[in-house]
Each structure stands twice: as structure tokens, then as C-alpha cells.
Amino acid sequence: MDVHLRRFFVHYALLAAALLLLSGCTPQSTHGASGYFKGRALELAVASEQGDAETITHLIKDEGVDPDKIFARDAGIPLVAWPLRAKNLDGLRALLDNGADPNARAYKVVDGRRLGYNNAMVYAAKLDDPRYLQLLLQHGGDPNTRNSAGETLLFQAFIAGNQWENVKLLIENGANINESNRGTADTVLSWYTTRGGFEHAYWLLEHGADPTVLLKSSVGAPDRMLIAEHIFWGITTPDLLPWQRKCQQWLVTRDIPRPPMPKGIRDKREAFGFPTKEEDIPLP
């Protein structure tokens, strides 16, 4: 073999070995962690997305890396939320078992107001796998957390494709079932009843949801029981009609009166070919 060619292969082999050694020392993320974290924080993020409990324990306990004080650069994502991005339950569990706070949150000041970025609870409420939210709740996650826009976790779970298991988890772990999201009568029960989701609505009624919450009307107009209006007068699919009747019976047995049919629901009933006269719509 030509001496120059031999030297080339020797240098190439040495370079490859160096690169291999370097790659073994540098955390390799498959979810873009290097764009958000640096140094030991990057190592912890990568370990969490890989479910490497041994490395997570070493970094937190021996190296003093504090996951509660590490947030993704410019994005405000807490490190404890990183394994949610990677969909790695073992990584999340290891962080929590080593003391990571599920409520850890970064803040910024805008126009003199202190605003919080989304934390792990917000991200978990939207996931279609309820195990992440359940794990955070088991480690002290606050079910009444609000997102960066001031919206409830119940609303996050609802709007993210109706993550019903997450809705139930939040309520069963202390979320205020009657807390308004952004406006009057803007509760979890109202979101389901206005969309004809009466099977879900019945579960909510049985777990303390208030159907008598008043919708504040404009000046001079009476306040309305929006939820009761939809339970009594709303339309739904045939498979959910029995659940609507169960909701109606629930209200009747508690002496909650049937309110007048509002024009909006009357127009909708007419458009879909349903009776529009109150006397033609008997109670169950």
C-alpha cells in the first residue's frame, strides 16, 4: 500500500476514534434538547427523555443539578416537563422520585405583571395518555393550576381533543369542578352540555357539577341558566339521548325548574327538524 494512503487511513482511524469518544461524552438528544439546555442541564434532559433513572439520580443527588430551577431557554419549559415531550414515562418518574417539583414554573414580567409560563401540569393535561398527569398528581401536582393564558387545566384537557380521562383525573384529585374558566357559566359542565355531550355531563353532575350557574346577561336582560337550558332543550345524537334524559331527570328530582327555551336553541331545533314548541317537548 502506498505510504501516503497508509497515513491517510491511520489519520482517518484516529479521527473516527476521537469523534466516537467525543460523542460518548456529549449527550445526544433525539428531541432537540440541545436547542434549549446546556451542560449538566442538557445531560439531565437527555437522561429524562431516555428514561435513564441511574443517570438522573446521579445528576440530581451527586452533581447537584436542580430540575426545579432549570427551564428551557426562551421557551420557559421546566425540565420536569421534558420527558412529556419525549413521551417517556420512566424519565418523568425518575425525576419525580428524585424530588422534582411537578409545579415548577418559570415566570416573566410583562407590563409590570408577573406571568407564568406553562408548567408540566399544563402539558400533561393535554396528552392522550393519562398516565403522565396521574403521575404528576401523585407527586403533588396542583389540579387547579392555570396555563399561561389563565385557563384551567380542565379546559386544557377538554379542548385538546376531549381528553376525558384527564378531565376525570383532575376532578377526582381535587380540581374545582365549578370553577369558571374565563367568563360566567364557563365551567366544565357547560362545555359538554352545549355540545350535547350528555353522557359526560351526567358523570359531572354526579360528581358535584352545578347546573344552576347563571350566565350574566346584558343590562336589563335576566340572567340565564345556560346549562339547564341545554339539558332541557338542547339536541344531541340518538345514542346520547338516553343520557340527556338522565340529566333531565337529575334536575327534576332536585326541583331545578325547566327554564324558557332561548331563541338560539329554538332556531337550532328548527334547523335540524326538531319540535320547537315547549309543550311538544315532554319531560321524561
Side-chain angles (χ1 to χ4, degrees):
M1 180 182 291
D2 180 84
V3 64
H4 296 292
L5 188 59
R6 185 182 297 111
R7 287 175 180 172
F8 169 79
F9 279 117
V10 169
H11 286 298
Y12 180 83
L14 291 172
L15 178 61
L19 289 174
L20 181 62
L21 180 64
L22 182 61
S23 66
C25 298
T26 303
Q28 301 297 305
S29 172
T30 57
H31 291 80
S34 59
Y36 297 98
F37 304 102
K38 299 295 181 185
R40 292 298 197 199
L42 175 59
E43 293 182 43
L44 186 56
V46 173
S48 75
E49 72 179 48
Q50 296 176 348
D52 185 349
E54 183 178 350
T55 298
I56 289 171
T57 300
H58 169 69
L59 288 169
I60 294 176
K61 300 299 185 183
D62 302 329
E63 300 292 339
V65 183
D66 188 347
D68 298 343
K69 296 180 180 179
I70 299 172
F71 303 95
R73 186 177 65 249
D74 300 328
I77 304 171
L79 199 146
V80 71
W82 193 255
L84 275 67
R85 180 172 181 146
K87 299 291 183 68
N88 194 300
L89 191 66
D90 291 334
L92 176 62
R93 182 181 291 108
L95 285 172
L96 295 170
D97 286 347
N98 280 281
D101 181 3
N103 303 304
R105 180 169 227 156
Y107 291 90
K108 61 181 176 180
V109 177
V110 178
D111 296 330
R113 295 184 301 156
R114 187 170 180 258
L115 304 176
Y117 285 91
N118 289 334
N119 66 4
M121 292 295 292
V122 176
Y123 295 116
K126 299 179 179 182
L127 293 180
D128 57 7
D129 186 342
R131 295 178 299 166
Y132 295 89
L133 179 61
Q134 184 175 35
L135 194 57
L136 290 166
L137 288 165
Q138 289 171 347
H139 284 79
D142 182 3
N144 290 300
T145 295
R146 286 179 174 256
N147 72 352
S148 59
E151 299 166 332
T152 66
L153 292 185
L154 287 172
F155 187 67
Q156 301 311 298
F158 175 78
I159 62 170
N162 183 26
Q163 302 305 331
W164 175 241
E165 292 303 316
N166 289 345
V167 171
K168 292 192 295 183
L169 267 176
L170 288 166
I171 292 169
E172 290 167 344
N173 284 274
N176 185 347
I177 196 170
N178 293 309
E179 184 174 1
S180 176
N181 182 52
R182 298 298 294 270
T184 60
D186 183 19
T187 66
V188 60
L189 181 57
S190 75
W191 311 329
Y192 285 100
T193 54
T194 55
R195 291 163 177 80
F198 293 109
E199 181 177 1
H200 302 88
Y202 187 77
W203 186 95
L204 293 167
L205 288 170
E206 288 286 282
H207 286 78
D210 183 2
T212 66
V213 175
L214 292 176
L215 173 67
K216 299 297 183 182
S217 300
S218 57
V219 177
D223 295 337
R224 296 164 48 196
M225 284 198 299
L226 178 70
I227 296 169
E229 288 176 356
H230 281 88
I231 289 176
F232 282 119
W233 306 116
I235 61 176
T236 190
T237 55
D239 59 309
L240 291 175
L241 185 57
W243 288 101
Q244 182 177 19
R245 290 178 177 144
K246 287 174 70 74
C247 290
Q248 292 171 348
Q249 291 169 345
W250 195 97
L251 268 62
V252 169
T253 57
R254 288 161 179 78
D255 297 321
I256 297 173
R258 185 160 67 165
M261 186 190 303
K263 183 179 184 304
I265 292 182
R266 190 184 304 277
D267 292 344
K268 187 175 181 180
R269 293 183 69 90
E270 182 177 10
F272 285 91
F274 286 83
T276 58
K277 294 182 179 179
E278 295 182 9
E279 59 269 23
D280 293 336
I281 310 170
L283 288 171

